[in-house]
């Protein structure tokens, strides 16, 4: 009997891990919304299921639009682009 309980807990943990990592983002948002309606903390669930916005304002940017952003600072230079050269052998 203990073996069945332990196996059930392992399967439940594996299902939880798979649902937080491999489900589409829309499904994860629905799960968070459904669990939040039942009284659980929505912010913690969103963080656990990895569906929270990156800066909290909903824009999903890097946070440069936040209240601490300095508009008088010069813009950072663009990232260097790397080129991968392919040599085709025929």
């Amino acid at each position: 009997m203990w073996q069945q309980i332990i196996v059930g807990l392992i399967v439940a943990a594996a299902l939880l891990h798979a649902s937080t990592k491999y489900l589409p983002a829309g499904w994860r948002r629905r799960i968070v919304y459904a669990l939040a309606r039942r009284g659980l903390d929505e912010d913690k669930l969103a963080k656990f299921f990895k569906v929270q916005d990156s800066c909290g304002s909903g824009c999903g940017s890097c946070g440069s639009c936040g209240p601490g952003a300095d508009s008088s600072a010069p813009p950072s230079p663009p990232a260097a682009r790397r080129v991968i050269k392919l040599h085709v052998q025929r």
Side-chain angles (χ1 to χ4, degrees):
M1 177 166 157
W2 282 104
Q3 289 178 345
Q4 294 172 343
I5 293 173
I6 292 171
V7 168
L9 290 174
I10 291 171
V11 169
L15 178 65
L16 183 65
H17 173 71
S19 67
T20 61
K21 189 168 185 174
Y22 297 113
L23 281 179
W27 291 11
R28 289 183 282 157
R29 284 188 193 101
R30 287 183 190 170
I31 292 171
V32 168
Y33 179 70
L35 292 175
R37 284 183 29 204
R38 287 168 175 68
L40 297 173
D41 187 15
E42 187 174 2
D43 293 332
K44 289 181 182 179
L45 286 171
K47 187 175 182 180
F48 183 73
F49 281 95
K50 300 171 184 76
V51 292
Q52 78 274 14
D53 293 325
S54 62
C55 64
S57 68
C59 65
S61 68
C62 63
S64 62
C65 60
D70 186 13
S71 60
S72 64
S76 60
R81 298 177 81 187
R82 298 177 71 188
V83 177
I84 299 173
K85 295 182 180 181
L86 301 176
H87 300 285
V88 179
Q89 298 178 358
R90 297 180 190 203

